[in-house]
Amino acid sequence: MEQERADRLVHVVDDVEPLEAPVLLLALEGFLDAGHAADLAVEHLLAERGPVVATFDVDELYDYRARRPPVSFVRDHYADYAAPRLVVRRQSDAAGTPYLLLTGPEPDIRWEAFARGVRTVVERFGVTRVVAMAAVPMAVPHTRPVALTEHANDPSVVLGSSAWQGSCGCRPARRPSSRCGWASGATSCRGPSCTSRTTWRR
């Protein structure tokens, strides 16, 4: 029953060219995107937009009251608004190797259902590795170097030693080869979204 609900939450395009063990790159807009770091990375990756291969029902995951989409006002009327979209695209890297890119706003609600929806995408396309990009907001000076913290539930894919000294409460990923990279540093905003979640100290 739960998987059936997840299948209704995500729509996978039928006529998609088969992929050979692709990587799924995950970059969501939200709290873990300090300074819009992941957003800027996605902007670079989508310089050439690939076809959409899966879409999520955003209305089931997004709180429009908490995060109102930008609205275009032209002289005396509302002309348009930027509807939030949570999509998976088929992209290719510089060597021509195809991969999947999941972008859009992080869910406000129904995270378990969203996780099952992502699993549907993973199983449908035979994804062998999930890589997530995130930037943790921290109250540190802009002059301090950005710290990178790699982590994975498969230690063999972690390239370097972690500078993280401590622990935090996280839910581990279930995908055997999942890998994540966190960047932590001073919050530098292009918009108002991250300052509201950052405490500044002198």
Side-chain angles (χ1 to χ4, degrees):
M1 177 65 72
E2 290 182 349
Q3 190 57 44
E4 289 180 3
R5 294 176 62 187
D7 291 341
R8 290 197 297 268
L9 188 66
V10 60
H11 170 69
V12 179
V13 178
D14 294 329
D15 55 344
V16 177
E17 182 180 346
L19 301 174
E20 185 177 349
V23 169
L24 172 62
L25 180 58
L26 179 71
L28 300 179
E29 305 163 10
F31 175 68
L32 288 182
D33 189 18
H36 296 271
D39 185 44
L40 290 170
V42 168
E43 188 177 305
H44 171 74
L45 294 173
L46 292 180
E48 295 185 9
R49 291 176 178 259
V52 173
V53 297
T55 60
F56 285 81
D57 186 353
V58 175
D59 282 353
E60 294 290 328
L61 304 167
Y62 192 87
D63 184 348
Y64 288 87
R65 186 175 181 183
R67 292 188 289 173
R68 297 178 185 257
V71 176
S72 299
F73 186 83
V74 179
R75 184 172 294 181
D76 57 2
H77 66 282
Y78 291 109
D80 197 5
Y81 89 106
R85 298 187 68 201
L86 195 55
V87 301
V88 181
R89 292 182 181 273
R90 183 186 189 276
Q91 299 288 123
S92 296
D93 62 17
T97 303
Y99 66 94
L100 299 175
L101 177 62
L102 172 55
T103 61
E106 69 175 14
D108 292 301
I109 56 176
R110 301 192 64 194
W111 270 94
E112 292 288 347
F114 172 68
R116 289 191 293 269
V118 173
R119 182 174 181 174
T120 296
V121 173
V122 166
E123 294 176 348
R124 168 64 176 79
F125 293 103
V127 171
T128 56
R129 179 169 296 175
V130 178
V131 181
M133 294 190 298
V136 181
M138 289 189 177
V140 295
H142 284 77
T143 53
R144 184 174 298 178
V146 175
L148 297 178
T149 302
E150 294 184 60
H151 58 95
N153 51 351
D154 177 3
S156 68
V157 301
V158 177
L159 300 180
S161 60
S162 173
W164 180 265
Q165 300 296 321
S167 62
C168 63
C170 302
R171 177 176 179 176
R174 296 192 179 100
R175 201 69 192 164
S177 53
S178 298
R179 178 180 169 201
C180 217
W182 282 1
S184 57
T187 306
S188 176
C189 296
R190 296 193 301 171
S193 59
C194 43
T195 54
S196 62
R197 298 185 175 92
T198 304
T199 301
W200 296 98
R201 296 178 182 174
R202 293 186 178 182

